[in-house]
Amino acid sequence: MYLLKRFANIRVAYIHSVDICSVFQIGDAKKITPKTNVLAVQRDYEKFNTKEGSFRSYQLFRESIPQPSFDEQFSSAYSNNSPNIYVDHVKILGISSSSIVNFGSAEEICAEARIKHIRQLSKNVDGDEKQR
Amino acid sequence: MNFTVINNGLHVGMVRIIGVSSSSVFLIGDADKISLSSIFDTPPESLIIGPFVPLSLD
């Protein structure tokens, strides 16, 4: 598949934060492949051990994700009547977890994010002293 | 399958986005291949109510 790439003309861009394995790309890219593993632990009280948790112990970090095949045969025709894309103003609050903001063209983008959420609450919810 | 794309002139005034997250793409331009995958897991057993137990190391 061959696609004649267009020019991206952006006048103003404002991005507040670029987080966890994300890409803000100005210009053309050949291949962008960010991959993230996240263990998101929310606790009722502040307690953090520097040595705890392991990606291996959760199945979602080990299993393989089925990918689409790109070698499917089909006939395609592209006609770019205008070689330009104009955007006056872009405002983004945040990009996170293997995300991509790309001004320009890309040949291949292949992103992957695996997020495991765990919430730990203390037993006494009625305002008694929390168990530690 | 026949697939025809005609790109005429494009002028966008303003784009406002709160968040792009969990392997998503915001692209101004053209791309050949895009493949995005994301697994998000919050099963019932991930809600632990009780005494504090550190997460296992293996």
Side-chain angles (χ1 to χ4, degrees):
Chain A
M1 189 171 77
Y2 177 73
L3 174 62
L4 200 73
K5 307 273 193 338
R6 287 171 291 169
F7 298 107
N9 303 275
I10 289 92
R11 197 186 294 271
V12 181
Y14 172 84
I15 296 188
H16 186 271
S17 57
V18 178
D19 224 342
I20 327 181
C21 195
S22 295
V23 180
F24 172 37
Q25 164 93 12
I26 301 173
D28 295 349
K30 173 98 176 155
K31 197 173 173 182
I32 310 178
T33 58
K35 286 185 171 49
T36 334
N37 287 342
V38 177
L39 251 180
V41 185
Q42 290 171 288
R43 285 187 175 139
D44 213 356
Y45 39 87
E46 311 87 39
K47 196 153 197 171
F48 176 66
N49 258 322
T50 48
K51 272 201 170 173
E52 67 169 306
S54 160
F55 290 134
R56 275 171 301 163
S57 51
Y58 303 101
Q59 214 218 318
L60 87 147
F61 296 113
R62 282 181 276 128
E63 65 187 291
S64 66
I65 302 175
Q67 296 294 329
S69 68
F70 287 110
D71 43 22
E72 208 173 315
Q73 290 298 316
F74 70 103
S75 65
S76 57
Y78 299 93
S79 107
N80 288 332
N81 294 345
S82 162
N84 287 294
I85 301 170
Y86 295 99
V87 180
D88 291 339
H89 199 115
V90 176
K91 189 177 182 181
I92 299 171
L93 215 57
I95 63 175
S96 175
S97 312
S98 286
S99 292
I100 297 150
V101 171
N102 193 354
F103 298 161
S105 301
E107 218 157 272
E108 189 178 335
I109 291 171
C110 197
E112 188 182 298
R114 292 160 191 254
I115 299 165
K116 172 82 176 176
H117 250 272
I118 296 168
R119 285 158 292 165
Q120 292 190 328
L121 305 180
S122 58
K123 210 163 198 168
N124 306 324
V125 222
D126 49 342
D128 289 347
E129 200 194 321
K130 283 166 182 169
Q131 276 185 292
R132 276 162 209 271
Chain B
M1 190 178 110
N2 282 315
F3 182 63
T4 309
V5 178
I6 298 164
N7 291 316
N8 287 310
L10 183 63
H11 192 147
V12 178
M14 183 161 183
V15 181
R16 279 177 67 189
I17 297 172
I18 292 188
V20 183
S21 111
S22 300
S23 90
S24 307
V25 169
F26 171 56
L27 174 79
I28 300 175
D30 299 302
D32 284 335
K33 298 178 185 176
I34 297 180
S35 143
L36 308 167
S37 26
S38 169
I39 307 181
F40 189 92
D41 189 21
T42 316
E45 61 266 29
S46 73
L47 177 65
I48 304 161
I49 303 176
F52 173 74
V53 183
L55 299 175
S56 71
L57 273 167
D58 44 34

